[in-house]
Amino acid sequence: MLKAHQGAEVDIIDRLPTPFGLVRSGVAPDHPETKIVMNQFSKAAQHERCSFFGNVTLGSSVSLSELRELYHVVVLAYGAESDRALGIPGEYLSGIHSAREFVWWYNGHPDGKNLSPDLKSTDTAVILGQGNVALDVARILLQSTSVLATTDIASHALEALEQSSIRKVYLVGRRGPAQAACTAKELREILGIKDLYIHINEVDLHKSPEDEEVLKNNRIHRRVYELLSKAATSAPSHPSSNQHELHFVFFRKPDRFLDSGEGSGRVAGVHFEKTILKAVGPGKQIAVGTGSYEDLDCGLVLKSIGYKSVSVDGLPFDHEKGVVPNIKGRVLVETSGDPTQLEKGLYVCGWLKRGPTGIIATNLYCAEETVASISEDVHQGEIAPASTLPKPGRQGLLQLLDNRDVRAVPFSAWEKIDSEERRLGNLRSKPREKLTTYENLLKVATE
């Protein structure tokens, strides 16, 4: 926006006192190279026509309708902060968490600090899902803590992992290795963990003609399949004593969670239905149950089955798809998709726009498309220029927040947090030691 419109002023509002969203709270601590994008974001935030307002929550600190009164253009980019549910019996037993909560916990997100997953009472964890987040979570559970100790992992998570009893991790998917949702880079990384026993049933690697078609047409799936095949054939037949184990389990869908039966309300395992793939169109196969079942004992379950966006008052929302109805980022009045009915001046980008898929780079193209739509609308006079219709903008927002006693955190205050985290990290030979409570973050921000 700053590049496309020389006169535009951009204000970034974030409910956390810290910027960078998923780059800070979602990217795994052992992926520092991915976090370098923060430098680019910082440059934008430090631009003279840009301001950051942390610790401001859409909905409670300021409403969407108020923002639309204050600004000519409002872009919603708050992603997907909730989880899809499986809707099966036992889903709320203790010991079952969403992968998102677990990621927030080890990444020091202030809303994840109190998760306290029990890593001591069991040696087996089951992860439902085989996408990149599932692989991240498995890698954190299996990786040597001496490796993790040199990253920006939250210290409460590192301490818990140092005392962890988890030795076996099962990554379970409904479909087969030809449909695995991860990328080759992530898979290669987990397969490369030192002294890790990998187990894949070779029978699961059998390819149907439909699988052959998928692999022929999709380079990513083909590479993933090749890596899994190689891992299956080169692994020893049994783990050595004390070796950590990673099991890839295909063609299984969870039917219900098993209670330990001692009245503790704790998970003791997962009851799976075996599946087969059924073609439902060219190149598309879905997993269907076979009526045959098996149990897998475990004391920890992490569900990595997808994120879900949440709505706010005054926002058209497609609850079934979990996205805001839009055309190229322009928000539609209704979910029916009538392209002539647009919410003037309201736009969307990221996961809220297209669903929780893709990597950081995917969001770049997504944002460019939304900015192109805004530029087009400005050019065609759909959005009135400030000269003819002034709006209060930043001053109006500051006034409103002040009236409500909302303590906004500017970018200069984030820089104090950043500096303190780096200082604390330096004492422990880490890139940073994250402050993990709102209280500590706000204290440092206002010093």
Side-chain angles (χ1 to χ4, degrees), residues 236-288:
S237 53
H238 296 290
S240 58
S241 62
N242 294 329
Q243 202 175 16
H244 283 180
E245 303 172 25
L246 174 62
H247 298 256
F248 286 87
V249 180
F250 297 98
F251 305 110
R252 300 286 185 278
K253 70 172 180 175
D255 179 65
R256 62 188 160 87
F257 295 102
L258 306 171
D259 193 324
S260 55
E262 300 142 14
S264 65
R266 278 202 65 79
V267 71
V270 190
H271 185 62
F272 285 105
E273 182 175 12
K274 295 180 182 178
T275 63
I276 52 169
L277 292 182
K278 182 181 165 193
V280 287
K284 189 166 178 2
Q285 301 177 89
I286 57 164
V288 293

Side-chain angles (χ1 to χ4, degrees), residues 80-86 91-92 97-101 303-310:
E81 282 207 341
S82 180
D83 306 291
R84 280 182 51 210
L86 284 162
E91 191 161 3
Y92 300 102
H97 308 283
S98 74
R100 175 191 58 81
E101 293 173 309
K303 300 180 295 178
S304 185
I305 55 165
Y307 291 68
K308 198 172 75 178
S309 293
V310 289

Side-chain angles (χ1 to χ4, degrees), residues 104-318:
W104 278 9
W105 171 74
Y106 66 63
N107 268 331
H109 190 298
D111 291 343
K113 180 155 180 18
N114 299 324
L115 184 72
S116 303
D118 181 0
L119 307 180
K120 280 186 180 176
S121 309
T122 179
D123 68 350
T124 305
V126 166
I127 299 168
L128 302 173
Q130 295 176 330
N132 282 347
V133 176
L135 261 61
D136 272 351
V137 166
R139 200 177 64 255
I140 295 295
L141 286 170
L142 293 166
Q143 184 62 275
S144 156
T145 49
S146 62
V147 171
L148 295 175
T150 62
T151 72
D152 67 359
I153 191 167
S155 54
H156 59 249
L158 184 64
E159 281 161 28
L161 288 161
E162 280 169 345
Q163 296 169 39
S164 169
S165 306
I166 304 284
R167 294 286 171 272
K168 297 177 201 170
V169 173
Y170 289 80
L171 275 165
V172 186
R174 294 163 183 257
R175 298 185 295 167
Q179 292 80 27
C182 58
T183 55
K185 178 183 177 290
E186 290 273 351
L187 181 58
R188 201 179 291 111
E189 207 173 348
I190 197 162
L191 295 176
I193 290 179
K194 230 160 124 186
D195 197 31
L196 178 66
Y197 171 75
I198 312 279
H199 180 257
I200 301 167
N201 277 331
E202 287 202 43
V203 65
D204 287 344
L205 292 161
H206 176 76
K207 291 180 294 205
S208 67
E210 288 85 359
D211 291 339
E212 296 276 14
E213 195 64 21
V214 167
L215 298 176
K216 194 173 87 182
N217 297 323
N218 189 309
R219 192 177 60 84
I220 295 170
H221 281 305
R222 187 166 67 244
R223 193 72 198 98
V224 165
Y225 179 85
E226 285 164 1
L227 287 165
L228 289 167
S229 301
K230 190 178 169 194
T233 49
S234 59
S237 53
H238 296 290
S240 58
S241 62
N242 294 329
Q243 202 175 16
H244 283 180
E245 303 172 25
L246 174 62
H247 298 256
F248 286 87
V249 180
F250 297 98
F251 305 110
R252 300 286 185 278
K253 70 172 180 175
D255 179 65
R256 62 188 160 87
F257 295 102
L258 306 171
D259 193 324
S260 55
E262 300 142 14
S264 65
R266 278 202 65 79
V267 71
V270 190
H271 185 62
F272 285 105
E273 182 175 12
K274 295 180 182 178
T275 63
I276 52 169
L277 292 182
K278 182 181 165 193
V280 287
K284 189 166 178 2
Q285 301 177 89
I286 57 164
V288 293
T290 61
S292 171
Y293 297 86
E294 69 178 18
D295 292 346
L296 185 50
D297 295 340
C298 64
L300 177 70
V301 176
L302 297 167
K303 300 180 295 178
S304 185
I305 55 165
Y307 291 68
K308 198 172 75 178
S309 293
V310 289
S311 182
V312 291
D313 276 354
L315 180 65
F317 197 76
D318 185 331

Side-chain angles (χ1 to χ4, degrees), residues 16 19-39 41 80 99-109 132-140 148 151-154 157 185-186 189 307 351 358-363 431-432 434:
L16 294 182
F20 312 134
L22 271 182
V23 180
R24 178 176 166 96
S25 305
V27 172
D30 56 348
H31 282 176
E33 70 291 343
T34 310
K35 301 186 188 201
I36 290 168
V37 74
M38 280 189 193
N39 299 340
F41 292 157
R100 175 191 58 81
E101 293 173 309
F102 190 73
V103 169
W104 278 9
W105 171 74
Y106 66 63
N107 268 331
H109 190 298
N132 282 347
V133 176
L135 261 61
D136 272 351
V137 166
R139 200 177 64 255
I140 295 295
L148 295 175
T151 72
D152 67 359
I153 191 167
K185 178 183 177 290
E186 290 273 351
E189 207 173 348
Y307 291 68
W351 284 5
I359 54 176
I360 288 173
T362 323
N363 287 312
R432 73 171 64 237
K434 286 180 183 169

